Amino acid sequence: YQIKNLIEKLGIKETDILILYPKKNDRYAMAEVTSIYFTFKYVGHVNIFILNGSFKEFKKKHPLKIDEGDMPLIEKSSYKLNINLNILADYEDVKENIKLKKALIDSRENDFFYGINKLEYIQKFGTIKGSKNIPSMWNLENRKLKFNNTKILKKIYEIKKINGNNDYPIFFCNAGLESSLNWFVSSEILKHKKSRLYDASLYDWIDRKEDLFVK
């Protein structure tokens, strides 16, 4: 219920329309937004949207729709959770996908996927055996804050020979951030309704004494 308390402190009600966007453009900017989107989707929020493009671009095109004055005091809300477990994968779900030869998608960059490099807190090189690689930044036009068009996004799945509707894709990365971007594109843009996010990702996988496969 930590999520519930945070949402209520922000004054958000389950009936509110939420529009999420990053105000900066760094490596993880859009992934941070899709991670927040996933969290709201997980707690059952319905009306959530992501601004396709930067705040700066929107402000330039629609200056009269911008309010940058002092924010009013936030009144704490009461938020009713409606947990959606259908979008979340856990360790056992990953094991099941491996067993059934369904799609596991590593959302990190190629050098991490192939075991060339790793982050310091990840103890081993490589990836989960049987996984395919779609670096999350492929989803963004010129790796910025706008999603590639649907035709290009579909082409990525064709290249990787992944059937988004029949392969029950589970997305992972190091700790769930980059993979939320891939999950969002698969589930919310391409409408692959069986898409799930292994939010704990490799951090959890290795902690369970599971080996990683180096390509």
Side-chain angles (χ1 to χ4, degrees), residues 164-181:
N165 290 312
N166 296 330
D167 285 341
Y168 306 100
I170 292 177
F171 300 91
F172 69 92
C173 54
N174 287 308
L177 186 63
E178 294 169 277
S179 47
S180 72
L181 181 48

Side-chain angles (χ1 to χ4, degrees), residues 137-201:
M137 296 301 287
W138 286 12
N139 297 299
L140 302 176
E141 186 178 288
N142 298 322
R143 294 184 171 234
K144 294 184 178 179
L145 298 178
K146 187 175 182 179
F147 291 100
N148 272 314
N149 66 55
T150 304
K151 184 177 180 180
I152 291 175
L153 297 175
K154 287 181 177 179
K155 186 67 176 178
I156 293 171
Y157 282 77
E158 291 174 10
I159 292 169
K160 293 295 182 175
K161 295 182 172 58
I162 299 169
N163 186 315
N165 290 312
N166 296 330
D167 285 341
Y168 306 100
I170 292 177
F171 300 91
F172 69 92
C173 54
N174 287 308
L177 186 63
E178 294 169 277
S179 47
S180 72
L181 181 48
N182 265 340
W183 169 85
F184 177 83
V185 167
S186 178
S187 175
E188 309 299 278
I189 297 180
L190 299 181
K191 304 302 180 184
H192 302 152
K193 291 306 178 184
K194 298 293 184 180
S195 301
R196 290 173 291 172
L197 176 65
Y198 181 27
D199 186 51
S201 287

Side-chain angles (χ1 to χ4, degrees), residues 7-53:
I7 291 173
E8 290 178 342
K9 285 180 180 179
L10 293 171
I12 297 172
K13 305 180 186 69
E14 61 265 23
T15 54
D16 286 344
I17 297 173
L18 303 181
I19 300 176
L20 310 174
Y21 61 91
K23 291 189 72 172
K24 58 183 179 178
N25 182 22
D26 62 24
R27 180 178 176 185
Y28 296 114
M30 189 55 87
E32 289 170 351
V33 173
T34 53
S35 181
I36 295 169
Y37 180 102
F38 178 86
T39 301
F40 275 106
K41 186 97 172 179
Y42 173 71
V43 300
H45 207 95
V46 177
N47 294 312
I48 335 165
F49 304 90
I50 291 179
L51 177 65
N52 190 23

